[in-house]
Amino acid sequence: MDDRVTILNVNGPYREPREPVFSYDYSIQRPTWPTANGVRIKVSIPEELDYLRVKILGVDGGTPGQQLILSRALTRRIADQKFLIAEEAGMFSSRLDVMVEPFTGAWEHLFPKLETWMKESQAVLRQEIRERIGL
């Protein structure tokens, strides 16, 4: 039986109060579940977003509008990749609402997978930034 997870909707980014993170809310469904479940994925600004933006992509500067568009685009790409990593780790196998924290501290063991994706996607992300934002 096909039990793949389907993403029904994604909302965000939201700026979490008292935390340096952006978050996205995913509504997910499996064929065997009677109703959809929620997943909140948090993207750390200094450890994940800035790491990708500055260390991997080397993008710094731009107008406030360009920075906003860049942050939105990169945080969504990071959140989508973290979703795939969490799914691969079996975090969505049972019908529970799940919070995927930044890949630091207790979640640090998952960061190398995210970092590998960042490095592999570097050229594609740079091209997208160049075309969409002009940086």
Side-chain angles (χ1 to χ4, degrees):
M1 179 177 193
D2 184 19
D3 199 33
R4 285 182 283 170
V5 69
T6 302
I7 298 173
L8 302 175
N9 194 19
V10 181
N11 293 308
Y14 303 107
R15 183 68 165 83
E16 292 285 335
R18 298 176 293 281
E19 289 183 82
V21 300
F22 288 111
S23 64
Y24 286 86
D25 291 336
Y26 289 71
S27 178
I28 63 170
Q29 177 78 44
R30 288 193 189 275
T32 57
W33 295 349
T35 60
N37 275 24
V39 174
R40 175 163 282 183
I41 297 187
K42 293 182 177 182
V43 176
S44 169
I45 295 168
E47 286 96 0
E48 294 170 335
L49 175 60
D50 288 346
Y51 183 82
L52 174 60
R53 187 175 53 83
V54 177
K55 293 202 186 226
I56 302 291
L57 298 175
V59 177
D60 199 18
T63 67
Q66 288 173 320
Q67 291 175 16
L68 177 65
I69 293 168
L70 179 65
S71 291
R72 283 185 64 118
L74 293 179
T75 55
R76 175 61 191 267
R77 298 290 291 274
I78 292 169
D80 288 347
Q81 189 60 34
K82 288 177 72 169
F83 180 90
L84 295 174
I85 293 168
E87 167 66 10
E88 183 182 290
M91 292 180 187
F92 312 137
S93 58
S94 59
R95 220 179 135 259
L96 299 169
D97 291 338
V98 177
M99 175 102 59
V100 177
E101 295 288 341
F103 288 173
T104 60
W107 296 69
E108 189 174 9
H109 65 284
L110 295 173
F111 187 78
K113 290 182 180 185
L114 184 63
E115 183 179 31
T116 299
W117 167 81
M118 289 176 179
K119 290 178 181 175
E120 290 172 354
S121 303
Q122 183 178 24
V124 173
L125 291 172
R126 279 187 178 155
Q127 182 64 27
E128 182 181 318
I129 291 166
R130 198 173 302 115
E131 291 173 0
R132 186 172 173 194
I133 305 164
L135 289 176

